[in-house]
Amino acid sequence: MAVPGLLEIRNVSKYYNIPERPLLQVLDNTSFCVEPGAFVSIVGPSGCGKSTLLRLILGLDDDYQGDILLHGERIVGPSLSRGIVFQDHRLLPWLTLEQNVGLALENVKRPARDKAKTVREHIDLVGLHGFEKSYPHQLSGGMAQRAAIARGLVNRPEILLLDEPFGALDAITRIRLQAELQQIWRVEGISMVLVTHDVEEAIFLSHKIIVMNANPGRIAREILVDLPSPRDRASNAFNEIRREVFSLMGESTVLSLAA
Amino acid sequence: MTVNTGTVVAGSAILDPSTNSAFNPSAAPAAATPTLTPISDTSAAKRPRNAKGFFRGGGYIGIILPILIIGLWHESANRGWVDAVFLPPPLEVVKESWLMLTEQDLLHDFWISISIVGQAFVYGSVLAISLGLVAGLSRKVELFFAPTLNTLRHIPSVAWLPLIVLWLGLGAPAKILVLAKSVFFPVFLNTLQAIRHVDKNYIELSRVLTLSRWKMVKRVILPAVLPSIAVSLRYSAGLAWALVVVAEGLSGLEGLGFLIFRAQGLLLTKQLLVCMIAIGMVGFVIDRGLYLLQRRVTRWKVAFEG
Ligand SMILES: Nc1ncnc2c1ncn2[C@@H]1O[C@H](COP(=O)(O)OP(=O)(O)O)[C@@H](O)[C@H]1O
Ligand SMILES: [Mg+2]
């Protein structure tokens, strides 16, 4: 089993320099920490730099100030120790489910039979047994997102990043997948960072919620969620936290959510 | 039917009983006890492929028009609407084709034309796909070739022929070269264009999965551009087949193109029609073959089928 990752974001700032436009600051001096095995959510209005932050953690972009450390070492470039699930499941339409999951093992030196077994296990883990040979267009949105989770996990990463993975799903499927994600997180014992704009989802799943504000993207506050599991979405304590998060995100967010 | 657990379900069941079963396996209970079973909306997967035989799915209606045309042709020849010099009756044409096959070695000319197109198609498309891939992957290579190729491609193949014949003579090589050129450009441009249109997110994905450049080409870029390449292959094969007729008519002493132009000169209308029909049928077979290839490389796509 993978060692759960200890991720530290230290004073990270990020600018986008688009020619013939003023320098755009996307992240302003953000710092937080993901303890080994923790589940941390990042919530904030759209455009506050959440996806940008995940791209930096993935190592897709090294043009930033500050430090991003995994087990105390600065991350350099993408690595299989950091998995990702995108909002658009991003399965390759010309590969079957099992080929899509297996793609994450292409760069791993292991016997083919070994790989096939791992792929099968992870497909089972996300409940897609029987759909190994299906193409993405034959899967529902929820199934595709499970497949993406399987692909993110199949390398046994130390940390799994999820960028609004359930954002495009209907409410019922979303609630179901949240429960399954929690279950997977317990089984795998790795660290997870979930970006979401569903505050309830964040409270339901996380130890810690990083609330961000926009323009430029910055951390408003860290909220520790100290509720027993399984969490009751209708409880007072749950609602208390929800109210706090909304007030931290500010009026503009509440308005845009209402719209 | 029993009343379900959970207020949501009970409430909606009163309003609309049909939603009851839809709610039953999911909703609130699932959240409390996490399970890892697939959700119920899996019916979309494993849908059997639309089996389309020729006579099923209305395929037969395509045969009606040709029968009508041949019938009309037959009648017009029978009743003397058109002089036989201009339009001999269908049966005469069938007889003529038998004569040409048995006594004039029509098959020889037939194979000459096919082999020219076949070779030109292979050389032209292999070069086009390779160069298209290289130029697609490297901006530098693209910029190196762009001005030259963009100029050359505006000179029509037929305009190339006299010069090439001057160099290579009246034989097959000149025609192969000219046809290869006409196959090259559509395939090259489509390959290049398709690579430029590969979803940037897929490239990002291959970086995240730490795929090597070669693996990225093999697993991501090639499959993504294959449908476009297949379409351009189909298009350029048709083009080459049409052009071989012109090229053979303009130079050389064999091939269907030569026969058809000679028949016109000698007013052998029957022979002319035989050649036309042969050309049409080969064109049809080539197109069908490449259509099947195209279907194969796009089978992961959901297409609009009318
Ligand atoms: N590649 C890029 N070039 C320029 N600006 C970008 C780029 N990516 C994102 N941005 C800008 O950065 C800001 C934050 O974007 P993003 O990280 O996607 O926000 P979020 O995920 O929180 O909605 C937005 O204003 C967006 O327009
Ligand atoms: Mg985003």
Side-chain angles (χ1 to χ4, degrees), chain A residues 88-141:
Chain A
D88 57 314
H89 52 74
R90 220 170 283 190
L91 300 173
L92 297 178
W94 47 84
L95 298 183
T96 61
L97 167 56
E98 80 189 343
Q99 290 169 330
N100 263 297
V101 176
L103 194 65
L105 293 174
E106 283 274 356
N107 192 23
V108 178
K109 290 216 169 20
R110 252 201 279 166
R113 198 184 313 159
D114 226 33
K115 287 188 189 177
K117 181 163 167 279
T118 314
V119 167
R120 211 168 334 109
E121 282 168 4
H122 281 84
I123 290 176
D124 292 351
L125 175 72
V126 298
L128 288 179
H129 181 78
F131 294 94
E132 289 82 355
K133 309 281 185 217
S134 299
Y135 285 96
H137 77 259
Q138 298 170 309
L139 303 175
S140 68

Side-chain angles (χ1 to χ4, degrees), chain A residues 139-159:
Chain A
L139 303 175
S140 68
M143 293 164 79
Q145 217 42 271
R146 291 155 195 259
I149 292 174
R151 182 180 62 193
L153 289 170
V154 75
N155 284 306
R156 308 210 160 262
E158 299 166 15
I159 185 162

Side-chain angles (χ1 to χ4, degrees), chain A residues 16 18 24 26 45-53 163-164:
Chain A
Y16 277 116
I18 309 162
L24 176 69
V26 184
S46 116
C48 74
K50 305 179 297 290
S51 296
T52 302
L53 189 56
D163 193 354
E164 305 192 21

